[in-house]
Amino acid sequence: MSIRAVTFDKQKVRSQDDGISHSLALVNISCVISGCEVSQDGASAVTISTGVFFVCGRLVHITSPESIGIPSVPAGQTQFMRVVFEVNLNQSNTEIDFMQGSFKVLTDASAYPALTQDDINAGGTLHQMAFIKLRADSVGIIAGSFADERTLYYSVSNLKQDVEGKAASNHTHTALAALQISGDVAPDALQVVNVYIYSGTTPSTTGKPNGTLFVKYVP
């Protein structure tokens, strides 16, 4: 039989099935749901705090802070680095140990390393999700080069708080100056539109792709 059912009695659910469903809900965006704060830890390490994120629709919990050492750099050289969470489905998990994902540091001598982002829900095996980028020399992390590359989940409730001016004092978008929504929404159709948050005259882009709303037009 050429049909494999999932959400039916006595049928098996595979990891890629959940991954596809979550990716659809998140509009194919790998993102941090909560926590996972990034920070520099001295001259030669970075830390990612406890939290939760989705990578290709796969849910991952960081249950204790992750300290990641930065590779040493020879004297007279500078390296461009990216700290990523890498999913590698060529590895095998056990019931005790998770082996298919870990934080890694990518390096390049001339530019920030490109990410490999296979669709692991459609036969791909390797996907890298960016968390931090920085530059380092023989002394360690170069001052001012540490940058947050996380994509953060921005919900409709966050947007509502911003528009109404009720966001928490530590919320990124409290100083909302304008809101732009773009996208075609036809009658009786559920569509995806882009939401751009303005804190002045320029849309916010750092770490937050602003947001995506599902909107149904009602005449």
Side-chain angles (χ1 to χ4, degrees), residues 150-181:
R150 297 171 304 152
T151 295
L152 304 183
Y153 176 73
Y154 191 69
S155 68
V156 175
S157 61
N158 293 144
L159 177 64
K160 183 174 184 293
Q161 286 183 330
D162 283 337
V163 172
E164 295 179 349
K166 296 178 180 178
S169 59
N170 62 348
H171 190 72
T172 302
H173 293 125
T174 48
L176 178 67
L179 174 68
Q180 174 185 326
I181 298 179

Side-chain angles (χ1 to χ4, degrees), residues 39-52:
S39 59
Q40 183 175 333
D41 185 10
S44 58
V46 298
T47 298
I48 300 175
S49 71
T50 58
V52 184

Side-chain angles (χ1 to χ4, degrees), residues 119-155:
D119 186 347
I120 60 173
N121 298 314
T125 59
L126 192 68
H127 190 97
Q128 295 165 339
M129 175 181 173
F131 274 73
I132 300 167
K133 69 178 180 180
L134 55 86
R135 290 179 294 115
D137 57 19
S138 59
V139 178
I141 299 172
I142 296 173
S145 71
F146 180 96
D148 183 355
E149 282 203 298
R150 297 171 304 152
T151 295
L152 304 183
Y153 176 73
Y154 191 69
S155 68

Side-chain angles (χ1 to χ4, degrees), residues 21 27 37 42 52 68 72 74 80 113 131-132 202 207:
S21 299
V27 202
E37 301 292 339
V52 184
I68 302 139
S72 60
F80 292 79
F131 274 73
I132 300 167
T202 305

